[in-house]
Amino acid sequence: MTTVPRCASGPGEPGTVLDPLIGGGWSCDAHGSNVTVQSADHRLKVQFHPERTPTVPRRPLWLIDYRPADGDTGRAWRAAFTDDTPAELIAAFCTLLGDDVELDDDLV
C-alpha cells in the first residue's frame, strides 16, 4: 500500500462531497452524471459537472455558488475546483459552509 498526503490524493469520488450534503437535506437534481445540490434556503448551490458539451468543452469540474437572501448583508461569490482537486478537500470546504461565524460589528 502506498501512502500519500491527502492534498495529493487525486480527484476521488464525487460522493465524498455530495452524499453528506444530500444526507443533510439538500435537494438533488441529476442529469446524467451532472449533479446539482442546493441548500434548503437556496443560498448555496454545489454543482458537479463531469460531462462536457460541444459548446462548453472545458470548465471546472466543481462549482460552488453563494447568493445572499434578499435583505442580507454580504456578497454573492463562486468557488471553482478542477478535476485535480481532491474530493476530500472540496468536502471539507463544503462542510465549513454550514458553520456560522461571529464577526466584529465593524467588519459587517
Side-chain angles (χ1 to χ4, degrees):
M1 178 192 279
T2 303
T3 303
V4 298
R6 185 177 307 270
C7 61
S9 64
E13 295 295 322
T16 302
V17 177
L18 299 172
D19 291 347
L21 298 174
I22 295 167
W26 289 40
S27 63
C28 179
D29 184 27
H31 297 282
S33 297
N34 294 333
V35 179
T36 299
V37 295
Q38 205 166 34
S39 62
D41 62 7
H42 299 281
R43 292 182 190 179
L44 288 162
K45 179 170 54 172
V46 176
Q47 300 174 71
F48 173 70
H49 288 280
E51 294 180 16
R52 309 296 189 222
T53 65
T55 57
V56 185
R58 184 76 173 144
R59 63 177 168 195
L61 183 63
W62 294 93
L63 292 174
I64 302 169
D65 293 293
Y66 169 75
R67 304 231 182 274
D70 291 339
D72 279 357
T73 59
R75 297 182 178 164
W77 55 261
R78 170 176 273 184
F81 299 96
T82 67
D83 49 356
D84 295 324
T85 307
E88 293 84 359
L89 295 178
I90 301 167
F93 179 85
C94 289
T95 299
L96 291 173
L97 294 176
D99 293 343
D100 290 334
V101 176
E102 191 171 318
L103 297 177
D104 185 344
D105 288 338
D106 294 336
L107 300 174
V108 181

